Amino acid sequence: MPNVKSAEKRMRTNEVRAERNRQFRSRLRTALKRVRAATTAEDATPAFREAASLLDRAARKRIIHPNKAARAKSRLTVRIAALG
């Protein structure tokens, strides 16, 4: 356990943020699965819009690396185009 009051607070805030990040990452993974599971481009497009938004937000908040977000969006776009 921390001995300093500010270290105790830091520990508490880290736990809160870690939980929030875990929930957000779970939401993001689910959105990506929805896009990959789509069988037609019409089904995939709205799912992709939501996933792209979540990817951008995760990159902005540094939950994932910005390059990873760009790569994921690019791959999903190619996948939707193949469904055509």
Side-chain angles (χ1 to χ4, degrees), residues 4 7-8 10 33 35 43 53 60 69 71 77 81-82:
V4 180
E8 289 176 6
R10 173 58 67 187
K33 284 178 191 173
V35 178
D43 295 339
S53 172
R60 189 173 61 247
R71 184 173 62 242
T77 303

Side-chain angles (χ1 to χ4, degrees), residues 40-64:
T40 65
E42 292 77 34
D43 295 339
T45 304
F48 172 74
R49 211 169 325 174
E50 182 190 354
S53 172
L54 289 172
L55 281 165
D56 289 336
R57 199 173 320 154
R60 189 173 61 247
K61 294 181 177 201
R62 297 298 293 198
I63 294 172
I64 62 171

Side-chain angles (χ1 to χ4, degrees), residues 5-21:
K5 194 170 186 177
S6 62
E8 289 176 6
K9 181 178 178 182
R10 173 58 67 187
M11 224 173 102
R12 285 194 311 270
T13 58
N14 284 345
E15 287 173 9
V16 169
R17 288 177 180 178
E19 178 61 28
R20 190 177 299 142
N21 289 343

